[in-house]
Amino acid sequence: MKKNKVAQHKIEQRLFSVLILLTVASFFGSLLLGSSNINPQELIATMMGEGKPTVSLILYEIRLPRAILGMMIGITLGIGGAALQGFLRNPLAEPGLIGVSAAASLGAVITIYTGLSGLFALALPLGGIAGALLAVFLIQLLAGRNSSTLRLILAGVAVSSFAAALTSLTLNLAPNPFMALEIMFWLMGSIANRSFEHVYLSVPFMLIGWSLLLMQAKALDALTLGEEAAQSLGFNLNRISTLIILGIALSVGAATAVSGAIGFIGLVVPHLLRRWVGHKPSTLLLASGLGGACLTLIADIAVRVLSTGTELKLGVLTALIGAPFFLMLIMKTQKDLP
Amino acid sequence: MRLLEATALSVKFGDRTILDNISFQVDKGEFVGLIGSNGTGKTTLLRTLSGMLPEHKKKVNFLGCPLSDYQPQQLAQKLAYLPQGNESHWSITAENLVMLGRLPYQKVWQGASELDHHIVQQVMQDCDVNQFATHTIDTLSGGERARVFLSRALAVEPQLLLVDEPIAGLDPGHQIEVMDKFQQLSKSGMGIVCVIHDLTLAARYCHTLVMLGETKIISQGSPEQVLSPENLAHGFNIRAHISEAEGQPLIVPIALC
């Protein structure tokens, strides 16, 4: 028995080492690979301040913010998905379920429609964040103070569909096809051509969101036993529900605001890693964060490497790979069942 | 010593009265059986006593203070509630599940301490589930599962244990095993309130029985007092054969009145 216990501990240790290594590797990969590859020597030289100016420009102005955003957004989607799956005790939950992504998209799209985004670059992500916060307010209002998980999901679906409808309306009313195209391309989700300003703007929200979610780790574990038992263990479910919604709104809202909707990462990553952490919701939070970072960075590298003429959008690729992959997972779990 | 006392407790859900003017107390080391037909408010009473209904916390005194005076975590260290059904939403190992009982003792960023591990080991040994420690919960049988969940509640090291139908769905051997465990716990000073449908086991093991009818207490007191033919007719609408076997009470329902 003692031996098995050690084994589970070791599996987790190994898992985290592998995930950290993969994240670091894909982060550097994201710096090196692209339309013009940089080799590692050039990277080191530039980091020492001795590189060619063009390489330095590509690295600091284009690749680095993109890699940082890829990593941060990946972590956000991973933690957000794991937290919501744990809270709702439903492996099909994903961060978009409570309507935050749709509302953030709407906020961003409105800035494109009104021309604000043309006036100053940060208007777009700011609009996205405003949309996400508005969604939280609406969800709290709809789900009520004594929010049951069912009411929360229903409120999320309502907010989500309404935001999607308004986004369609904006597209419908777009004065010219160019604006419609711009909106459509933005909605597909991408982290190309982002600057450090996007990083500075979104990262604080993501950090606050993560800490709110990570603080609920113990409560998520307790919820394994159901709501009543969790309550009897001293957890206030209304408070936890509010903090999780807020945590997801801040982090996923900020992520969506800078990147557009990137689907399937928040759904697939917790699924993929759950068995390796012994199905423990608390351990899954961090593991999913790291897994999300790897997957997003790798997908973003793939987008650059695969792109030929037209740029492939990150959100399109994650959905394209994610959906069949998810199907495969479901078929596999079905086989595992007795 | 008085552990828990509720006076004139009335609970309504909307227009529906669930509990009406219930007074109830549990002493240290007392094993109270809560009986009554379905829908009479047994589970609601248990949930109210555990402080889960915020608006009624003032009416329940636990160790001398109303429940509303306790910090949730503080209360969770002294009072354990084991809901019906032994559900686990994720297939975690038995040991991890029992460890959840130690959550009231851990701070937000703190892991399990040496003491937590020690106590988990101890309660698992006491409930004879040590051999399943690394098995995931969905691979265990009903009886094993019941014992693992009981260990989870005991890991809290509570002074008062509230349990909802702990022996439902268990075979007779495992039922006796669980009831023996409760008896042993109450001897060591723990107060226990247990919702139970098996009248014979209730009569044999519980010190006090409380029979709930529609929203009200029909009778409370010693098992002999409570399980009278009149009360059984009133509370369950049944006629029962009441006798003794090997010096212990035996109550066998025969027919509807």
PDB file of all heavy atoms in Angstrom, chain A residues 6-22 276 290:
ATOM      1  N   VAL A   6       3.348   6.128  -2.815  1.00  0.00           N
ATOM      2  CA  VAL A   6       4.545   6.773  -3.341  1.00  0.00           C
ATOM      3  C   VAL A   6       4.419   6.893  -4.852  1.00  0.00           C
ATOM      4  O   VAL A   6       4.733   7.918  -5.437  1.00  0.00           O
ATOM      5  CB  VAL A   6       5.811   5.981  -2.957  1.00  0.00           C
ATOM      6  CG1 VAL A   6       7.028   6.546  -3.651  1.00  0.00           C
ATOM      7  CG2 VAL A   6       6.002   6.012  -1.446  1.00  0.00           C
ATOM      8  N   ALA A   7       3.880   5.831  -5.459  1.00  0.00           N
ATOM      9  CA  ALA A   7       3.769   5.832  -6.908  1.00  0.00           C
ATOM     10  C   ALA A   7       2.903   6.995  -7.396  1.00  0.00           C
ATOM     11  O   ALA A   7       3.284   7.710  -8.311  1.00  0.00           O
ATOM     12  CB  ALA A   7       3.188   4.503  -7.388  1.00  0.00           C
ATOM     13  N   GLN A   8       1.754   7.213  -6.737  1.00  0.00           N
ATOM     14  CA  GLN A   8       0.867   8.306  -7.161  1.00  0.00           C
ATOM     15  C   GLN A   8       1.574   9.649  -7.025  1.00  0.00           C
ATOM     16  O   GLN A   8       1.503  10.506  -7.896  1.00  0.00           O
ATOM     17  CB  GLN A   8      -0.425   8.294  -6.317  1.00  0.00           C
ATOM     18  CG  GLN A   8      -1.372   9.462  -6.593  1.00  0.00           C
ATOM     19  CD  GLN A   8      -1.809   9.535  -8.051  1.00  0.00           C
ATOM     20  OE1 GLN A   8      -1.953   8.513  -8.722  1.00  0.00           O
ATOM     21  NE2 GLN A   8      -1.969  10.749  -8.569  1.00  0.00           N
ATOM     22  N   HIS A   9       2.308   9.790  -5.925  1.00  0.00           N
ATOM     23  CA  HIS A   9       3.053  11.011  -5.685  1.00  0.00           C
ATOM     24  C   HIS A   9       4.076  11.222  -6.791  1.00  0.00           C
ATOM     25  O   HIS A   9       4.254  12.323  -7.304  1.00  0.00           O
ATOM     26  CB  HIS A   9       3.743  10.887  -4.331  1.00  0.00           C
ATOM     27  CG  HIS A   9       4.282  12.171  -3.830  1.00  0.00           C
ATOM     28  ND1 HIS A   9       3.479  13.207  -3.427  1.00  0.00           N
ATOM     29  CD2 HIS A   9       5.569  12.621  -3.704  1.00  0.00           C
ATOM     30  CE1 HIS A   9       4.234  14.218  -3.051  1.00  0.00           C
ATOM     31  NE2 HIS A   9       5.493  13.900  -3.211  1.00  0.00           N
ATOM     32  N   LYS A  10       4.742  10.112  -7.148  1.00  0.00           N
ATOM     33  CA  LYS A  10       5.777  10.179  -8.187  1.00  0.00           C
ATOM     34  C   LYS A  10       5.175  10.522  -9.531  1.00  0.00           C
ATOM     35  O   LYS A  10       5.746  11.298 -10.304  1.00  0.00           O
ATOM     36  CB  LYS A  10       6.510   8.832  -8.265  1.00  0.00           C
ATOM     37  CG  LYS A  10       7.767   8.810  -7.443  1.00  0.00           C
ATOM     38  CD  LYS A  10       8.801   7.889  -8.088  1.00  0.00           C
ATOM     39  CE  LYS A  10      10.118   7.968  -7.335  1.00  0.00           C
ATOM     40  NZ  LYS A  10      10.634   6.641  -6.991  1.00  0.00           N
ATOM     41  N   ILE A  11       4.015   9.930  -9.833  1.00  0.00           N
ATOM     42  CA  ILE A  11       3.359  10.221 -11.105  1.00  0.00           C
ATOM     43  C   ILE A  11       3.093  11.717 -11.217  1.00  0.00           C
ATOM     44  O   ILE A  11       3.358  12.339 -12.247  1.00  0.00           O
ATOM     45  CB  ILE A  11       2.021   9.443 -11.226  1.00  0.00           C
ATOM     46  CG1 ILE A  11       2.292   7.952 -11.389  1.00  0.00           C
ATOM     47  CG2 ILE A  11       1.204   9.946 -12.406  1.00  0.00           C
ATOM     48  CD1 ILE A  11       1.050   7.095 -11.361  1.00  0.00           C
ATOM     49  N   GLU A  12       2.592  12.294 -10.117  1.00  0.00           N
ATOM     50  CA  GLU A  12       2.295  13.730 -10.139  1.00  0.00           C
ATOM     51  C   GLU A  12       3.563  14.546 -10.336  1.00  0.00           C
ATOM     52  O   GLU A  12       3.584  15.499 -11.111  1.00  0.00           O
ATOM     53  CB  GLU A  12       1.604  14.140  -8.833  1.00  0.00           C
ATOM     54  CG  GLU A  12       0.108  13.956  -8.907  1.00  0.00           C
ATOM     55  CD  GLU A  12      -0.581  14.206  -7.585  1.00  0.00           C
ATOM     56  OE1 GLU A  12      -0.107  15.060  -6.815  1.00  0.00           O
ATOM     57  OE2 GLU A  12      -1.591  13.531  -7.318  1.00  0.00           O
ATOM     58  N   GLN A  13       4.622  14.143  -9.626  1.00  0.00           N
ATOM     59  CA  GLN A  13       5.886  14.864  -9.763  1.00  0.00           C
ATOM     60  C   GLN A  13       6.377  14.819 -11.203  1.00  0.00           C
ATOM     61  O   GLN A  13       6.763  15.833 -11.772  1.00  0.00           O
ATOM     62  CB  GLN A  13       6.928  14.223  -8.863  1.00  0.00           C
ATOM     63  CG  GLN A  13       7.375  15.155  -7.751  1.00  0.00           C
ATOM     64  CD  GLN A  13       8.282  14.442  -6.780  1.00  0.00           C
ATOM     65  OE1 GLN A  13       8.754  13.322  -7.040  1.00  0.00           O
ATOM     66  NE2 GLN A  13       8.526  15.083  -5.654  1.00  0.00           N
ATOM     67  N   ARG A  14       6.312  13.626 -11.777  1.00  0.00           N
ATOM     68  CA  ARG A  14       6.760  13.463 -13.156  1.00  0.00           C
ATOM     69  C   ARG A  14       5.908  14.285 -14.103  1.00  0.00           C
ATOM     70  O   ARG A  14       6.404  14.938 -15.003  1.00  0.00           O
ATOM     71  CB  ARG A  14       6.698  11.981 -13.554  1.00  0.00           C
ATOM     72  CG  ARG A  14       8.087  11.395 -13.698  1.00  0.00           C
ATOM     73  CD  ARG A  14       7.988   9.933 -14.025  1.00  0.00           C
ATOM     74  NE  ARG A  14       8.635   9.161 -12.995  1.00  0.00           N
ATOM     75  CZ  ARG A  14       8.474   7.855 -12.823  1.00  0.00           C
ATOM     76  NH1 ARG A  14       7.643   7.185 -13.594  1.00  0.00           N
ATOM     77  NH2 ARG A  14       9.130   7.226 -11.890  1.00  0.00           N
ATOM     78  N   LEU A  15       4.606  14.244 -13.865  1.00  0.00           N
ATOM     79  CA  LEU A  15       3.682  14.990 -14.716  1.00  0.00           C
ATOM     80  C   LEU A  15       4.040  16.475 -14.715  1.00  0.00           C
ATOM     81  O   LEU A  15       4.157  17.100 -15.774  1.00  0.00           O
ATOM     82  CB  LEU A  15       2.243  14.804 -14.226  1.00  0.00           C
ATOM     83  CG  LEU A  15       1.196  15.662 -14.936  1.00  0.00           C
ATOM     84  CD1 LEU A  15       0.916  15.126 -16.327  1.00  0.00           C
ATOM     85  CD2 LEU A  15      -0.103  15.738 -14.149  1.00  0.00           C
ATOM     86  N   PHE A  16       4.248  17.021 -13.511  1.00  0.00           N
ATOM     87  CA  PHE A  16       4.539  18.450 -13.432  1.00  0.00           C
ATOM     88  C   PHE A  16       5.893  18.776 -14.070  1.00  0.00           C
ATOM     89  O   PHE A  16       6.034  19.803 -14.732  1.00  0.00           O
ATOM     90  CB  PHE A  16       4.475  18.946 -11.980  1.00  0.00           C
ATOM     91  CG  PHE A  16       3.071  19.295 -11.566  1.00  0.00           C
ATOM     92  CD1 PHE A  16       2.315  18.430 -10.798  1.00  0.00           C
ATOM     93  CD2 PHE A  16       2.490  20.478 -11.978  1.00  0.00           C
ATOM     94  CE1 PHE A  16       1.011  18.739 -10.433  1.00  0.00           C
ATOM     95  CE2 PHE A  16       1.181  20.802 -11.622  1.00  0.00           C
ATOM     96  CZ  PHE A  16       0.440  19.926 -10.853  1.00  0.00           C
ATOM     97  N   SER A  17       6.899  17.878 -13.891  1.00  0.00           N
ATOM     98  CA  SER A  17       8.187  18.132 -14.537  1.00  0.00           C
ATOM     99  C   SER A  17       8.016  18.169 -16.045  1.00  0.00           C
ATOM    100  O   SER A  17       8.549  19.050 -16.727  1.00  0.00           O
ATOM    101  CB  SER A  17       9.217  17.056 -14.176  1.00  0.00           C
ATOM    102  OG  SER A  17       9.045  16.620 -12.879  1.00  0.00           O
ATOM    103  N   VAL A  18       7.294  17.183 -16.570  1.00  0.00           N
ATOM    104  CA  VAL A  18       7.108  17.111 -18.024  1.00  0.00           C
ATOM    105  C   VAL A  18       6.378  18.357 -18.523  1.00  0.00           C
ATOM    106  O   VAL A  18       6.770  18.969 -19.526  1.00  0.00           O
ATOM    107  CB  VAL A  18       6.317  15.835 -18.413  1.00  0.00           C
ATOM    108  CG1 VAL A  18       5.868  15.892 -19.859  1.00  0.00           C
ATOM    109  CG2 VAL A  18       7.151  14.599 -18.165  1.00  0.00           C
ATOM    110  N   LEU A  19       5.323  18.756 -17.795  1.00  0.00           N
ATOM    111  CA  LEU A  19       4.537  19.911 -18.233  1.00  0.00           C
ATOM    112  C   LEU A  19       5.370  21.191 -18.215  1.00  0.00           C
ATOM    113  O   LEU A  19       5.297  22.008 -19.137  1.00  0.00           O
ATOM    114  CB  LEU A  19       3.305  20.083 -17.340  1.00  0.00           C
ATOM    115  CG  LEU A  19       2.167  19.094 -17.561  1.00  0.00           C
ATOM    116  CD1 LEU A  19       1.059  19.301 -16.528  1.00  0.00           C
ATOM    117  CD2 LEU A  19       1.596  19.233 -18.965  1.00  0.00           C
ATOM    118  N   ILE A  20       6.173  21.354 -17.160  1.00  0.00           N
ATOM    119  CA  ILE A  20       6.993  22.571 -17.071  1.00  0.00           C
ATOM    120  C   ILE A  20       8.024  22.585 -18.200  1.00  0.00           C
ATOM    121  O   ILE A  20       8.181  23.586 -18.910  1.00  0.00           O
ATOM    122  CB  ILE A  20       7.683  22.666 -15.693  1.00  0.00           C
ATOM    123  CG1 ILE A  20       6.630  22.983 -14.621  1.00  0.00           C
ATOM    124  CG2 ILE A  20       8.757  23.750 -15.688  1.00  0.00           C
ATOM    125  CD1 ILE A  20       7.122  22.890 -13.208  1.00  0.00           C
ATOM    126  N   LEU A  21       8.675  21.433 -18.410  1.00  0.00           N
ATOM    127  CA  LEU A  21       9.665  21.332 -19.492  1.00  0.00           C
ATOM    128  C   LEU A  21       9.030  21.659 -20.841  1.00  0.00           C
ATOM    129  O   LEU A  21       9.573  22.429 -21.639  1.00  0.00           O
ATOM    130  CB  LEU A  21      10.236  19.913 -19.538  1.00  0.00           C
ATOM    131  CG  LEU A  21      11.527  19.706 -18.743  1.00  0.00           C
ATOM    132  CD1 LEU A  21      11.942  18.254 -18.819  1.00  0.00           C
ATOM    133  CD2 LEU A  21      12.622  20.620 -19.294  1.00  0.00           C
ATOM    134  N   LEU A  22       7.855  21.068 -21.078  1.00  0.00           N
ATOM    135  CA  LEU A  22       7.159  21.283 -22.352  1.00  0.00           C
ATOM    136  C   LEU A  22       6.777  22.744 -22.532  1.00  0.00           C
ATOM    137  O   LEU A  22       6.898  23.301 -23.622  1.00  0.00           O
ATOM    138  CB  LEU A  22       5.886  20.435 -22.389  1.00  0.00           C
ATOM    139  CG  LEU A  22       5.916  19.149 -23.206  1.00  0.00           C
ATOM    140  CD1 LEU A  22       4.588  18.423 -23.074  1.00  0.00           C
ATOM    141  CD2 LEU A  22       6.204  19.451 -24.670  1.00  0.00           C
ATOM    142  N   TRP A 276      -4.125  11.737 -14.641  1.00  0.00           N
ATOM    143  CA  TRP A 276      -2.744  11.761 -14.156  1.00  0.00           C
ATOM    144  C   TRP A 276      -2.626  12.419 -12.799  1.00  0.00           C
ATOM    145  O   TRP A 276      -1.594  12.306 -12.133  1.00  0.00           O
ATOM    146  CB  TRP A 276      -1.836  12.490 -15.162  1.00  0.00           C
ATOM    147  CG  TRP A 276      -1.837  11.830 -16.490  1.00  0.00           C
ATOM    148  CD1 TRP A 276      -2.494  12.245 -17.616  1.00  0.00           C
ATOM    149  CD2 TRP A 276      -1.188  10.613 -16.842  1.00  0.00           C
ATOM    150  NE1 TRP A 276      -2.293  11.368 -18.633  1.00  0.00           N
ATOM    151  CE2 TRP A 276      -1.486  10.358 -18.200  1.00  0.00           C
ATOM    152  CE3 TRP A 276      -0.375   9.712 -16.147  1.00  0.00           C
ATOM    153  CZ2 TRP A 276      -1.012   9.242 -18.867  1.00  0.00           C
ATOM    154  CZ3 TRP A 276       0.098   8.606 -16.820  1.00  0.00           C
ATOM    155  CH2 TRP A 276      -0.228   8.376 -18.168  1.00  0.00           C
ATOM    156  N   LEU A 290      -0.715  24.589 -16.840  1.00  0.00           N
ATOM    157  CA  LEU A 290       0.506  24.315 -17.587  1.00  0.00           C
ATOM    158  C   LEU A 290       0.186  23.627 -18.914  1.00  0.00           C
ATOM    159  O   LEU A 290       0.736  23.967 -19.970  1.00  0.00           O
ATOM    160  CB  LEU A 290       1.446  23.439 -16.757  1.00  0.00           C
ATOM    161  CG  LEU A 290       2.096  24.133 -15.561  1.00  0.00           C
ATOM    162  CD1 LEU A 290       2.792  23.122 -14.664  1.00  0.00           C
ATOM    163  CD2 LEU A 290       3.091  25.186 -16.044  1.00  0.00           C
TER     164      LEU A 290
END
